C-alpha cells in the first residue's frame, strides 16, 4: 500500500523558509516511497470555524471549502508536515484558521476521529535570532496534535529567517528536514 505524506504551509511567502523546509521534508518522504502533496494555505479560500457544533452531531465539518478537502486529506494521510512562520509570537492567521477547523476531527466525546499513530512533523521559522523565544508556539501546537492522536516525530525550528531565502544558507536545517522526511 502506498503511504501518503502531505505538507501544509502557513506562510504567505511562496518559496520562503517554511515552504522550503516543508518541501524538503516532503522530498525526503518521496525518496522513502511516499506519495506527496503540498497545500499553500495562502492560496486557498476558506473560513474559520463557525462554532456551529455540526461536527459534534455529524462526522465532518458543515463548511464546504478548500480546507474541507484538506481535512479529508489529513484524515487519509499517513504523515502530515505542518509548517508556519512565527507572527507576533504565534503561528500565522492563515494557519490558525485551518487549525480551528481541525476541531471537526474530534467527536462529541472529545476523542479523535483520526486513526491513531499518524505521523506529524512541525516546521517553524522566525526572524528573531534567539531560538529560545517562541518555542511555545510549536510545543503548544504539538500538544493539540497529540490530543488528535498524532505521533509528533520532530519539530524543526529556524531562527534569523527574515529573508525568504535565508534557509538556503542553512545546510544543517535542510539536511535535517531531508533526513526527517526519509525517516518517515
Ligand atoms: C506580521 C509578521 C509578524 C512577525 N512576528 C514575528 C515574531 O513575533 N517573532 C519573530 O521572531 N519573527 C516574526 N516575524 C518574522 C517571521 O517569523 C520570519 O520572517 C519568518 O522566517 C518568515 O517565514 P517564511 O520565510 O516562511 O515566510 C514576523 C513577520 C511578520 C510578517
Amino acid at each position: 500500500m502506498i503511504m501518503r505524506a502531505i505538507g501544509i504551509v502557513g506562510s504567505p511567502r511562496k518559496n520562503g523558509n517554511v515552504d522550503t523546509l516543508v518541501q524538503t521534508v516532503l522530498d525526503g518522504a518521496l525518496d522513502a516511497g511516499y506519495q506527496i502533496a503540498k497545500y499553500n494555505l495562502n492560496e486557498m479560500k476558506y473560513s474559520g470555524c463557525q462554532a456551529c457544533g455540526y461536527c459534534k452531531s455529524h462526522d465532518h465539518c458543515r463548511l464546504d471549502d478548500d480546507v474541507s478537502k484538506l481535512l479529508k486529506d489529513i484524515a487519509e494521510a499517513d504523515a502530515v508536515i505542518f509548517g508556519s512562520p512565527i507572527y507576533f509570537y504565534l503561528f500565522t492567521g492563515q494557519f490558525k484558521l485551518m487549525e480551528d477547523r481541525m476541531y471537526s476531527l474530534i467527536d462529541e466525546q472529545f476523542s479523535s476521529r483520526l486513526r491513531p499513530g499518524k505521523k506529524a512533523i512541525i516546521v517553524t521559522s522566525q526572524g528573531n535570532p534567539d531560538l529560545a523565544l517562541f518555542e511555545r508556539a510549536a510545543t503548544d501546537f504539538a500538544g493539540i496534535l497529540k490530543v488528535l492522536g498524532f505521533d509528533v516525530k520532530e519539530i524543526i525550528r529556524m531562527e534569523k529567517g527574515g529573508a525568504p531565502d535565508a534557509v538556503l544558507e542553512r545546510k544543517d536545517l535542510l539536511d535535517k528536514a531531508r533526513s526527517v522526511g526519509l525517516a518517515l
Side-chain angles (χ1 to χ4, degrees):
M1 204 187 67
I2 296 175
M3 307 272 272
R4 183 166 172 80
I6 63 171
I8 303 171
V9 177
S11 172
R13 298 203 295 194
K14 242 186 146 180
N15 303 315
N17 300 296
V18 169
D19 193 1
T20 299
L21 286 169
V22 168
Q23 185 61 51
T24 306
V25 176
L26 287 173
D27 290 345
L30 185 68
D31 282 355
Y34 277 76
Q35 176 195 82
I36 60 168
K38 190 172 68 176
Y39 292 82
N40 278 101
L41 294 177
N42 198 54
E43 293 179 346
M44 294 163 56
K45 297 273 173 268
Y46 55 98
S47 310
C49 172
Q50 301 297 300
C52 64
Y54 182 91
C55 65
K56 300 298 161 266
S57 54
H58 299 77
D59 66 0
H60 60 280
C61 177
R62 190 161 61 100
L63 297 174
D64 182 11
D65 59 19
D66 290 351
V67 158
S68 318
K69 295 183 198 80
L70 169 55
L71 291 169
K72 275 198 196 112
D73 212 356
I74 289 175
E76 282 163 19
D78 301 285
V80 185
I81 300 98
F82 295 92
S84 177
I86 301 297
Y87 278 11
F88 290 149
Y89 294 32
L90 300 169
F91 286 1
T92 61
Q94 288 93 327
F95 192 93
K96 178 63 172 151
L97 282 188
M98 183 280 302
E99 180 186 343
D100 289 350
R101 295 280 297 282
M102 291 171 73
Y103 186 57
S104 65
L105 302 175
I106 296 171
D107 70 15
E108 67 284 6
Q109 316 287 342
F110 279 82
S111 298
S112 177
R113 296 189 165 117
L114 296 177
R115 164 166 49 79
K118 224 178 258 289
K119 295 173 184 173
I121 310 294
I122 299 172
V123 173
T124 72
S125 179
Q126 64 188 55
N128 198 294
D130 184 355
L131 209 49
L133 299 176
F134 318 125
E135 183 175 10
R136 200 166 155 189
T139 52
D140 281 354
F141 182 61
I144 303 290
L145 291 181
K146 281 174 201 159
V147 169
L148 286 166
F150 278 92
D151 178 6
V152 181
K153 289 283 180 202
E154 194 80 50
I155 298 178
I156 301 172
R157 296 179 55 232
M158 170 172 169
E159 77 284 29
K160 295 194 218 165
D165 60 355
V167 70
L168 301 180
E169 306 293 316
R170 293 295 303 271
K171 190 176 179 319
D172 57 331
L173 286 178
L174 293 170
D175 285 352
K176 180 174 178 181
R178 191 171 179 85
S179 56
V180 163
L182 267 173
L184 277 173

